[in-house]
Amino acid sequence: MKRDFDRLRDAPFDLLVVGGGIYGAWTALDATLRGLKVALVERDDWGAGTSSASSKLIHGGLRYLRGFQLGLVRKSLAERRRLVTLAPHQVRPLRFLYPMGSGFTGRRYVASGLTVYDLLAGRGQPVPGHHRISRVAAAAAYPYLDTGHLTGAFTYGDCATDDARLTCEVVDAAWRAGAVAVNRARVEELLVTGDRVVGARVKDGESDVDLEVEARLTVLTAGPWAESLVPEAARGQVRARYTKGVHLVMGPLPTDDALLLVARSDGRVFFVIPWYGRTLVGTTDTDYRGDPDRVAVEPADIDYLLTELRARCPGLGWDESSILGSFAGLRTLQSSDGVSPSAVSREWRLERPLDGLLMPVGGKLTAARADAAKIVRRGLRLLGRPDGVSPTRQRPLPWAPPAPFDRWLAEQTAASTGLGLDAETAHWAPHRFGSRLADLHALVRDDPKLARRLTPAAPFCRAEVVLAARDEMARGLEDALRRRMPATLLAKIDAATAADAAALMGGELGWGRERQAAEAARFLGSE
Ligand SMILES: Cc1cc2nc3c(=O)[nH]c(=O)nc-3n(C[C@H](O)[C@H](O)[C@H](O)COP(=O)(O)OP(=O)(O)OC[C@H]3O[C@@H](n4cnc5c(N)ncnc54)[C@H](O)[C@@H]3O)c2cc1C
């Protein structure tokens, strides 16, 4: 996909979608496939907000059963099944271990929760149902757990993804279907005529040009930033609460499975998740009332996660010096008084603060496709158009490889190794590129030096930087090295690597030497 701010001049649009996280992406795709004329604008980069700061799980949300949010869990489990079909390269099954014992959670309670989880999932799921394992077997297989307190464990299945990359692919799908999709395009204010929103004033982040973009309907999918964009008079109607979630990035786990653990201090659930050969530990859940642009990992967040992790997995021996990276994001939840952040419902709601304006509140990466279909259906009704079944229900994402997936994966991994990618990079590349892997292979065939890793500590090759700039609308190093590939989360990027990446991107985007140096310096300064 190519960035072209001037295409926004082709107004009026049927739908202007503000915010290019996962909700904006699916909304733009669904609406475009249904024949609407759609513009999607993102002030920063695709997935730059919450959609690159999640736990990266495509899951039903086992812990929501505690709050009896059965509808949400059922919907999410159905979406889990659907997303594996629509994007098997991006969404992969992951086995979880749920340990039990004194100080962990009781066996009967967990067993009934997992049974309900399996029942709600129904047939045809990409992961097996739950399974009980004995104390001895669990202690032998996961010796780093607090085995002194262990009485047994369960395994169950869910799925994992790369949230920012998934978002990028959905935006690409919308763009290919005909949507105007522009990053670095910030909505400065919504345009209001009478009591009706009629579009937005959008600033081009690259030229500073301002443009009034007219639209019959505007959808505010700006996550935690959305409330501040609602015109003052209607802002009181928005009922949202924001909580911060932090993850730590640690080295590899000695075992393949993810862990669902219960924090000793407050009984909250947190996860230990293998991801790109490293491990994510998270998350926290604390109320946040500040500026969403300033959300940051604080020492107290690190302390909480490390303390709980060390209590549950003392054998890992992880301490502060083991932290490779960290990130923080904000959940937008429905407002609720008198309950702790983790007890707030994760159900999703669609608000209409003014005529001409729709705004989702809450949601999940997992459920975004289904929720976006509802946004578009409501939009079609408001526009007086016929609705019907969402086209995104059945349509594979554009990078989805040919079936059968497992055979394709094995062939493509072998082909990648054959072209000089190291084994770990070759393992991940098919998941990241799907059918576009052919483009990566073509680049590497022409210039074998592009098969080398960009940085030794992360499984991404130099050709991926070229494709990020050429075909994935990466406009700066942060776009390429944080969201098209999460290199900055997994590795410390040094000056030589930044300079190399700037040269690779510069070749695509026409940056001269001075601009390359400036981009590298800016990136290193923001790290
Ligand atoms: C810590 C944490 C863990 C989570 N884990 C999971 C999980 O494992 N699985 C799961 O299913 N869900 C998870 N979630 C929930 C999920 O991440 C969110 O529901 C989802 O990412 C929200 O997407 P969004 O598109 O609504 O918002 P965002 O991703 O925040 O997108 C909003 C976009 O709007 C843009 N924007 C803001 N202002 C403007 C403007 N003026 N003009 C143009 N654009 C603008 C922003 O730059 C941003 O890109 C988690 C959430 C958190 C916080």
Side-chain angles (χ1 to χ4, degrees), residues 158-172:
D158 255 323
C159 291
T161 190
D162 177 336
D163 47 5
R165 190 124 188 109
L166 179 64
T167 304
C168 178
E169 180 167 352
V170 181
V171 175
D172 185 48

Side-chain angles (χ1 to χ4, degrees), residues 1 21 30 65 96 100 121 142 215 235 349 356 427 484 489 502 518 525:
M1 57 181 163
D30 191 304
L65 291 178
F96 279 73
M100 293 169 305
Y142 309 88
R235 210 169 287 167
R349 194 179 63 225
H427 168 79
R484 301 306 178 277
L489 291 185

Side-chain angles (χ1 to χ4, degrees), residues 300-372:
D301 302 318
I302 296 176
D303 190 45
Y304 172 87
L305 289 172
L306 265 188
T307 305
E308 297 300 344
L309 179 70
R310 286 166 62 83
R312 293 306 187 202
C313 304
L316 289 174
W318 284 348
D319 59 20
E320 204 151 350
S321 69
S322 325
I323 300 174
L324 303 175
S326 59
F327 54 93
L330 285 183
R331 302 175 187 82
T332 305
L333 306 174
Q334 307 199 21
S335 69
S336 46
D337 296 326
V339 289
S340 71
S342 44
V344 178
S345 162
R346 263 47 177 176
E347 296 282 0
W348 171 88
R349 194 179 63 225
L350 185 58
E351 297 200 344
R352 191 177 165 206
L354 277 174
D355 280 352
L357 181 66
L358 292 177
M359 176 181 161
V361 176
K364 300 290 294 172
L365 188 71
T366 309
R369 188 213 62 83
D371 295 340

Side-chain angles (χ1 to χ4, degrees), residues 419-432:
L419 284 166
L421 273 69
D422 65 86
E424 200 192 0
T425 306
H427 168 79
W428 289 111
H431 289 287
R432 298 170 39 65

Side-chain angles (χ1 to χ4, degrees), residues 9 40 126 136 182 208 222 253 362-363 423 454 480 502:
R9 295 182 194 283
L40 167 64
V136 174
V182 190
D208 266 357
L253 271 177
L454 179 70

